[in-house]
Amino acid sequence: MQIGIDKLGFYTSDLYVDMAELAQARNEDPNKYLIGIGQAKMAVIPPTQDAVTLAANACSKILTEEDKKQIDLVIFATESGIDNSKSSAVYLSRLLGLSHYLRAVELKQACYGATAALQLAKGHVALHPDKKALVVGADIARYGLHTKGEPTQGGGACAMVIAANPRILALEDTCSYYMDDAMDFWRPFDHTEALVDGKFSANIYVEFFQKVFEAYQAQTGIRIEEFKALLFHLPYTKQGLKGLRAALAGVDPLVAGKLLRQFEFSRQYSRQVGNLYTGSLYLGLLSLLNLSDSLKAHERLGLFSYGSGAQGEFFSGLLMPGFEKMLDPVFYEQLLAHRKQVSVAEYEQIFSALDMRAKDLVLDVSQDQAPFVFTGISEYQRQYLAR
Ligand code: COA
C-alpha cells in the first residue's frame, strides 16, 4: 500500500516588505539580501494572525467535508506555539470543524517538526488505511529588528493531508535521520525572538545533509541521477543552495545542471515569503510542483529536512500519476501577487506590536481579509474568528 501526501496547501499573510528596501534601511548592499541570502520579499505577519490562524487558512484551501470526516489525527508542528500546555492542534481542529473523535497534538523540534509529523502520520495511516491525517507546519520566524538574522524572517503555514493511495507524492519507506545536541538556534522561555549562531547553523545544516544523504544512498543504492529534484529546508534560499552544492561536488555536470534547474523552481515561493520554519521544506515542494515545467509521474523527489538543535532527515517520494490535477498554481500566484507592500517603518511597527503576555486584548481585524483571524485575548484565553 502506498501512503503519502494526498493534498498540500499553503498560506501566508497579505503583507510583505521588499528586501532591497530593508537592505537600504540597514545600510547593506541590496544584493547581499537578494543574491547573498537569496530573498526578494519577506512576509510581514500582522497581529491578527498567529500560528493557529495561519494553519487554519492553509487548511481551508485544501480540506473538503469528506476529508474532515476521515481525519482522525491532527499533528501541529510549530516552534511559534501560543500556549505552554494546550496544543495548537486543538484550536485548529475546532476552527476547522473537525470530528471530536480524533487525536490532536502539537510537536516541536525546530524546523524539523513537520517532517516528524509526516512520518508519524504515515505510520498511523498504515495501521488505519481508511483514515486520513492532517499535518501542519505553521510559524512566524522572528529574529529581531536590526539583527543579522532579520533578513531571514518570514512566516506562513503548509498543510498536508496524509492518506493511503495518495494523489500527489507516495513516500518511500527508506529514510535516514541524524541527531546531535547543538546550539545553532534556540528560543529561551520569555523570548519572542530566536537566538542564532548564524555561521555555525549554516555549516551544521550542510554537515547534517551530507550525513543523511550518504546514509540514505548507502541504504538504498539510489544514485543522485535517479532524483528528479532535491528539495531542501529553506531558512533562506541560499542555505538550500549550499546544501545542494555539497551534493553536487564531483557529479556529472549534466546531472548537476538538471538538479540546479529544478532547485530554482523549488525556491521561488520561499524567495517571496521568507522563512516558514516548519513549513519551509513543504513550501519548496509546493513551489516545485506548481512551477516546474518538466515533472512527470513516477519521478523521484528527495527531501532534506533540518531542525536546529539539531535533527536532520533525508527521505524520498514518487510523484503519483495525475498529481498535477491536485495543484492550483494560479491560486498561489495570485495569493503572492496580491499582497500589500508595507514600508520598513510599517514593518517595524507591526513587528513590535506582538504581545504574548496580555490578559485582555482587542484587535481590529477589519484590515485582514483572511478566512480565519485572531481577534484578541479575554482573561488569557485566545479568541478566533472563522468567517
Ligand atoms: N552581493 C552578493 N552577495 C553578497 C553581498 C553582495 N553585495 N554581500 C554579502 N554577500 C553574501 C556573502 O558572501 C554571504 O554569502 P555566503 O553565505 O555564500 O558566504 C551572504 O551574502 C551572507 O553574508 P554574510 O556576511 O555572511 O551575512 P551575515 O553575517 O549578515 O549573516 C546569516 C547571514 C544568514 C548567517 C544571518 O542572516 C542569520 O544568521 N540568519 C538566520 C540563520 C538561520 O535561519 N539559521 C537556522 C538555519 S536552519
Side-chain angles (χ1 to χ4, degrees), residues 123-371:
H124 177 78
V125 173
L127 286 174
H128 310 282
D130 56 326
K131 299 294 184 190
K132 292 178 178 174
L134 179 64
V135 166
V136 299
D139 278 296
I140 301 168
R142 291 171 60 92
Y143 290 92
L145 304 176
H146 302 274
T147 63
K148 288 209 172 227
E150 183 180 32
T152 63
Q153 299 177 128
C158 280
M160 295 178 272
V161 175
I162 309 305
N165 306 314
R167 286 170 287 180
I168 297 179
L169 191 74
L171 296 173
E172 295 189 288
D173 282 343
T174 303
C175 38
S176 53
Y177 26 83
Y178 186 85
M179 183 280 305
D180 199 1
D181 186 353
M183 292 306 284
D184 58 328
F185 167 107
W186 67 106
R187 184 162 69 86
F189 287 134
D190 281 351
H191 281 54
T192 49
E193 284 82 50
L195 303 176
V196 63
D197 185 340
K199 297 280 154 57
F200 178 44
S201 79
N203 292 336
I204 196 170
Y205 171 114
V206 174
E207 273 174 38
F208 271 50
F209 167 67
Q210 288 172 314
K211 282 193 167 77
V212 293
F213 190 46
E214 275 168 26
Y216 173 93
Q217 288 184 300
Q219 284 173 69
T220 60
I222 293 173
R223 288 161 291 128
I224 193 164
E225 54 268 35
E226 292 175 71
F227 292 96
K228 174 68 181 190
L230 292 179
L231 296 159
F232 289 82
H233 165 53
L234 297 174
Y236 48 100
T237 73
K238 176 71 165 292
Q239 180 68 69
L241 188 58
K242 287 178 192 223
L244 180 58
R245 283 178 178 158
L248 298 181
V251 167
D252 177 342
L254 202 65
V255 173
K258 284 181 183 169
L259 289 169
L260 280 163
R261 184 162 184 277
Q262 295 307 316
F263 176 76
E264 288 304 322
F265 294 119
S266 76
R267 71 158 153 171
Q268 287 314 311
Y269 287 175
S270 293
R271 269 188 75 80
Q272 298 179 61
V273 177
N275 197 353
L276 252 59
Y277 285 166
T278 48
S280 287
L281 172 62
Y282 302 97
L283 183 59
L285 172 61
L286 187 69
S287 186
L288 178 84
L289 293 171
N290 279 338
L291 303 179
S292 174
D293 53 4
S294 60
L295 296 181
K296 290 190 211 64
H298 310 296
E299 287 182 326
R300 175 176 288 113
L301 307 181
L303 298 94
F304 172 60
S305 183
Y306 177 78
S308 292
Q311 176 73 54
E313 178 161 339
F314 187 88
F315 61 105
S316 58
L318 300 174
L319 285 169
M320 297 302 290
F323 72 90
E324 58 284 340
K325 293 192 201 100
M326 302 303 291
L327 306 174
D328 192 351
V330 175
F331 174 86
Y332 291 107
E333 189 187 318
Q334 288 175 357
L335 181 82
L336 296 175
H338 293 165
R339 293 178 297 166
K340 181 177 163 235
Q341 182 179 346
V342 295
S343 66
V344 173
E346 286 168 311
Y347 142 70
E348 289 176 345
Q349 188 267 322
I350 293 170
F351 183 94
S352 304
L354 182 72
D355 184 355
M356 296 300 284
R357 296 174 150 265
K359 179 175 175 231
D360 293 291
L361 179 72
V362 178
L363 294 171
D364 173 9
V365 295
S366 62
Q367 300 302 308
D368 189 336
Q369 302 306 313

